[in-house]
Each structure stands twice: as structure tokens, then as C-alpha cells.
Amino acid sequence: MCKYNVVLCTLLLCLPYVTHNCFVEEEPTKPNIFDIVLFTQRWPLTACYMWKESSKSHSCLLPKQNKWTIHGIWPTQFHHTGPQFCNTSLSFDKNILAPIENELKEKWTDIQKGSKPYSFWKHEWDKHGTCAVTIEKLNSVFKYFQTGLKLLDTYNMIDVLKKANIEPGEKYMINDLLRAVQKILKKRAQVICTKNKKTGELYVNEIRICFDKTLQLVDCDGVYNFPTNCDKSELIMYPSSVPRNYQINKLVIDILLMRRIIITLVNVL
């Protein structure tokens, strides 16, 4: 039969092996292949500003201490933003985090007040934690979050920046921030900014430091958007309070001042 129907015979021969990529020339890339791990910290005051800007009804839940908090631990390929959502069978179980939950609330804070309980942690585990399980210290829900807390205790950016005389409430050039982290940690980091669309002012939002698969600190060269998305020619605010749209506030003040001038002129005349 094969003499007359080569295609049919090929299909029959391959049938027992279809699950082993009989028709694929090379094995597809595994979803959790990555080069380094990004440990991403965010400045809560900027994160709060961004949350409030997305809706007038939004309010924030800020940590008690004026320190940087964890956004996530992100396995990352060079020049890409993935992998993500690597294994849906590795479900998030909030009960496992009970022994460290209070510490997580303070240090891995869900800034978005009113959001579904545990939704932020679940999102980070589903999107990034399920890709990090190939690293022994990150291979379970508890280990992933516990390791994040340990990394924050060692590398909290409020302490790192302070050692380089970078303090909240001041403005800096992006190279000042990048050099500050490199000076203290001896490794190159990534700084992410956000922009006030109404005033044009830039705020420091996130600082990301990088680790290899043994969780040893390494340079972040090669990560997507390295070393920054910030405008290198503009000053960046490291806010000491939740930013506001100061242009709007100034307009209100100008209107009130003009009103007082008009009232004064009317009384004089």
C-alpha cells in the first residue's frame, strides 16, 4: 500500500508519535526559559499617584514606614519581557502565606485599596512565580514570597539611595540615581519613571536590580529598556508625598487671587 500512497504511510508511521513532535523540526521553546531574575521595588507614593490618576474614585493603602515596597520577582529573558504565566497548574494558595502575611502587607503592599483581597499577590505568583519555580529558593508559593521579603530587607532602596545622599523630596537627574545604586551595590540597575500627563513632571517609580539563577546580584545589562525609560535630560522628582497635579492647584490659587483683587477694586471704586 505504501508503494502507492506515500502520504498515507507517513501519517500512519507518525501516528504513535504525534505527542513527540513528529511534524516539528525542532522542540518548541519551553515557556519558563529565562536569563536572569529582576527584583522590582516600587516607590509607594508614586504607585499611589498612578492608581489615583486612573480613576477619581481610587484611594491608596500605603505602608506604615516610608520605605520602598516589593512589586515582584520576575524571571526575564534578555531584551524581552517574559516569560509569564508559565504553569496554570501551580495554583496560588493564600493560606500558605499565613505565617508571613502581616509582613507581606507592609513590605509587599497592595497599594490599590479596595481591590480583591490577595489579588495582587495572586497576580504576581501566577504571572511570574510560576516561571521562577526552576530556582530552588523560589519553587513554591511560600518560598517565592519569603525570598522576596529577604531580598527587600537586604536591598531596600530607601537605604541604598540614602547611603548615596539621595533623599525623598528632592529632584535628581536619572544618571544620579543610576550611579547611586551602582556605587552602593557595585552593580548596574534599572530605573523606571512615570510622567504626570498634566504637569509633565517625572517621578521615580521603580528600581529593578538583577540576580542570576543562584540569586547572586549581577548587572542588569541586557534587560528590556535598560538602563531606564526616564528622560535623561530632565530632573526627576523622588516624591516625599503623593504627587498632585500642581498646575491645577496653581490655577485655582490664581483664580482666588484674581477674585480678591476684583473685590478690592470694587470696594475702592
Side-chain angles (χ1 to χ4, degrees), residues 121-173:
W121 301 338
K122 182 180 185 304
H123 171 78
E124 290 302 308
W125 170 255
D126 290 346
K127 186 174 182 180
H128 304 289
T130 58
C131 302
V133 293
T134 54
I135 296 176
E136 193 273 333
K137 291 183 179 179
L138 302 172
N139 66 4
S140 70
V141 171
F142 186 82
K143 285 184 179 180
Y144 178 79
F145 288 94
Q146 184 184 50
T147 298
L149 294 174
K150 291 179 179 178
L151 291 176
L152 187 70
D153 287 342
T154 304
Y155 301 106
N156 196 301
M157 282 300 141
I158 194 74
D159 302 318
V160 172
L161 295 176
K162 188 174 182 178
K163 290 177 182 178
N165 298 314
I166 303 291
E167 300 274 5
E170 302 293 336
K171 292 184 178 182
Y172 302 93
M173 299 300 290

Side-chain angles (χ1 to χ4, degrees), residues 100-255:
I100 58 173
E101 183 172 334
N102 289 335
E103 191 176 4
L104 285 171
K105 288 179 179 178
E106 178 66 16
K107 298 178 179 179
W108 204 318
T109 311
D110 187 352
I111 304 295
Q112 300 176 5
K113 187 176 182 180
S115 59
K116 187 177 179 180
Y118 306 101
S119 60
F120 177 43
W121 301 338
K122 182 180 185 304
H123 171 78
E124 290 302 308
W125 170 255
D126 290 346
K127 186 174 182 180
H128 304 289
T130 58
C131 302
V133 293
T134 54
I135 296 176
E136 193 273 333
K137 291 183 179 179
L138 302 172
N139 66 4
S140 70
V141 171
F142 186 82
K143 285 184 179 180
Y144 178 79
F145 288 94
Q146 184 184 50
T147 298
L149 294 174
K150 291 179 179 178
L151 291 176
L152 187 70
D153 287 342
T154 304
Y155 301 106
N156 196 301
M157 282 300 141
I158 194 74
D159 302 318
V160 172
L161 295 176
K162 188 174 182 178
K163 290 177 182 178
N165 298 314
I166 303 291
E167 300 274 5
E170 302 293 336
K171 292 184 178 182
Y172 302 93
M173 299 300 290
I174 182 57
N175 284 334
D176 296 331
L177 297 172
L178 291 168
R179 280 196 294 263
V181 178
Q182 185 175 359
K183 177 182 177 181
I184 304 304
L185 298 185
K186 311 302 181 187
K187 299 297 179 184
R188 289 181 289 276
Q190 183 180 40
V191 178
I192 301 297
C193 291
T194 191
K195 191 170 188 176
N196 186 320
K197 295 179 181 179
K198 296 183 176 67
T199 68
E201 190 171 36
L202 289 172
Y203 310 123
V204 61
N205 179 26
E206 293 183 343
I207 295 181
R208 301 168 182 174
I209 56 177
C210 296
F211 295 85
D212 63 18
K213 293 180 182 180
T214 66
L215 296 188
Q216 296 299 306
L217 198 62
V218 296
D219 291 315
C220 286
D221 304 46
V223 303
Y224 182 75
N225 253 346
F226 177 83
T228 186
N229 71 337
C230 310
D231 190 327
K232 295 182 180 180
S233 65
E234 293 187 27
L235 286 167
I236 301 162
M237 172 58 73
Y238 182 11
S240 57
S241 60
V242 178
R244 297 178 181 179
N245 295 320
Y246 291 107
Q247 277 189 346
I248 295 176
N249 292 343
K250 184 177 183 301
L251 178 61
V252 172
I253 293 172
D254 289 342
I255 291 172

